Amino acid sequence: MKLTTIFIFCSVLLFNCEPPKKPEDIHQENWTKREMNRPLKDSLEHGKSYLSIYSQIYSITQHSTHNLTAVASLRNISDRDTIYLTKATYYDTHGNLLKTYFDKPIYLAPLETTEIIIDEINVEGGTGSNFLFEWKIPKNCPEPFFEGVMNSTMGKQGLSFTTQSIRIE
């Protein structure tokens, strides 16, 4: 009787569990739901911002690296105006384009935030990866704020730090 109960319990666990999600499926932003379907006004101010991101950092020596989860936080800090992000591109340490996340205008409502997440196992960016963000905002609107948050946890040890974007255009 006890063996039958154990078998049924194990069968329920085996057959009712969903397969584990792949890291790239955990948080995949649907950029098309944010796309602008009409042309942007000519009166909008244009800008471009640079954000450093680290998918790896050196640990102990130059020959040893530690992988990190990296989050690029894209924030509209205006409490009045919607802003538009027109392009987001991700580059590796050597300046090679790795991915274009979107190249059609998307919107962020007042005080809205969205993220781009680089999984800890994705180390193609290396120790000097970076983003370029192009954007358009109404006159007298605060510029968008882009922040990088990198972290990793191993056992009881944790590591985290942030970076902030700078306007380059």
Side-chain angles (χ1 to χ4, degrees), residues 21-29 119 121:
K21 292 183 176 184
K22 296 181 283 186
E24 63 268 14
D25 295 334
I26 293 171
H27 178 87
Q28 193 70 14
E29 182 68 50
D119 297 320
I121 60 172

Side-chain angles (χ1 to χ4, degrees), residues 57-121:
I57 57 170
Y58 293 105
S59 180
I60 302 172
T61 73
Q62 66 181 353
H63 304 292
S64 176
T65 56
H66 190 81
N67 297 351
L68 302 169
T69 300
V71 178
S73 180
L74 293 60
R75 297 174 178 265
N76 178 359
I77 62 173
S78 173
D79 61 353
R80 294 184 323 262
D81 296 309
T82 295
I83 65 167
Y84 307 94
L85 306 178
T86 57
K87 193 170 189 177
T89 49
Y90 179 51
Y91 298 85
D92 70 10
T93 300
H94 307 289
N96 299 312
L97 177 64
L98 295 175
K99 185 170 184 174
T100 299
Y101 283 87
F102 54 86
D103 57 5
K104 293 181 180 176
I106 65 165
Y107 68 90
L108 287 179
L111 298 175
E112 188 175 17
T113 301
T114 191
E115 298 93 11
I116 295 173
I117 299 173
I118 310 296
D119 297 320
E120 188 171 320
I121 60 172

